[in-house]
């Protein structure tokens, strides 16, 4: 490779790098996000075990369950009561970024006794 050609290659890499950096700083508009969870036997389909949204998205969670339960999103401290064979919805704005465990609790369970086993899913709120 000639030195002129090498210089041209380095220059185009630098331009690509600057463009990539510029693209990553462009703010992403907040979206309305509908997440539909179908819980059967306290479990979700594997594809639904990581729920990803962006900071400031307006999130609506629609939860259908085969048994009565309380859905608890840790860290955001959100709870949704769902009846057996029913569905319920809640909406919130994803203000905090992070990875939040989503757990299922029995309705009326003692607060100290109800945290055991792996989370149902994780809600990941990505920075903009
Ligand atoms: Cu919990």
């Amino acid at each position: 490779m000639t030195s002129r050609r090498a210089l041209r290659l380095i220059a185009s890499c630098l331009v690509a790098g600057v463009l990539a950096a510029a693209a990553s700083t462009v703010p992403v508009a907040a979206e309305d996000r509908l997440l539909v969870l179908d819980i059967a036997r306290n479990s979700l389909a594997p594809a639904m075990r990581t729920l990803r949204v962006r900071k400031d998205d307006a999130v609506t969670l629609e939860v259908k369950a085969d048994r009565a339960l309380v859905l608890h999103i840790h860290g955001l401290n959100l709870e949704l009561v769902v009846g057996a064979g029913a569905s319920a919805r809640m909406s919130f704005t994803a203000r905090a970024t992070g990875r939040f465990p989503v757990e299922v609790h029995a309705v009326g369970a003692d607060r100290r006794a109800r945290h055991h086993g792996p989370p149902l899913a994780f809600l990941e709120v990505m920075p903009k």
Side-chain angles (χ1 to χ4, degrees):
M1 187 182 300
T2 66
S3 63
R4 178 175 282 188
R5 194 165 165 210
L7 272 177
R8 209 176 299 145
L9 183 64
I10 289 168
S12 63
C13 288
L14 284 174
V15 168
V18 168
L19 287 177
S24 67
T25 58
V26 172
V28 178
E31 286 183 47
D32 290 339
R33 297 293 313 275
L34 173 64
L35 303 174
V36 180
L37 305 184
D38 193 348
I39 303 172
R41 295 180 191 164
N42 289 345
S43 185
L44 279 175
M48 295 306 294
R49 291 182 191 155
T50 300
L51 311 166
R52 207 164 277 148
V53 300
R54 287 204 174 271
K55 186 179 185 320
D56 296 332
D57 281 355
V59 181
T60 297
L61 207 56
E62 184 175 301
V63 181
K64 194 177 140 203
D66 62 344
R67 60 185 75 169
L69 56 84
V70 178
L71 190 86
H72 181 200
I73 306 178
H74 285 247
L76 301 180
N77 214 21
L78 296 169
E79 287 192 342
L80 178 67
V81 177
V82 187
S87 64
R89 276 184 167 217
M90 73 171 158
S91 296
F92 60 94
T93 301
R95 299 231 185 269
T97 57
R99 189 166 195 256
F100 305 101
V102 179
E103 292 190 340
V104 165
H105 304 303
V107 173
D110 181 275
R111 270 195 171 265
R112 285 166 301 174
R114 56 190 206 169
H115 290 107
H116 53 83
L120 176 76
F122 286 93
L123 174 67
E124 293 184 349
V125 182
M126 313 300 284
K128 280 178 150 183

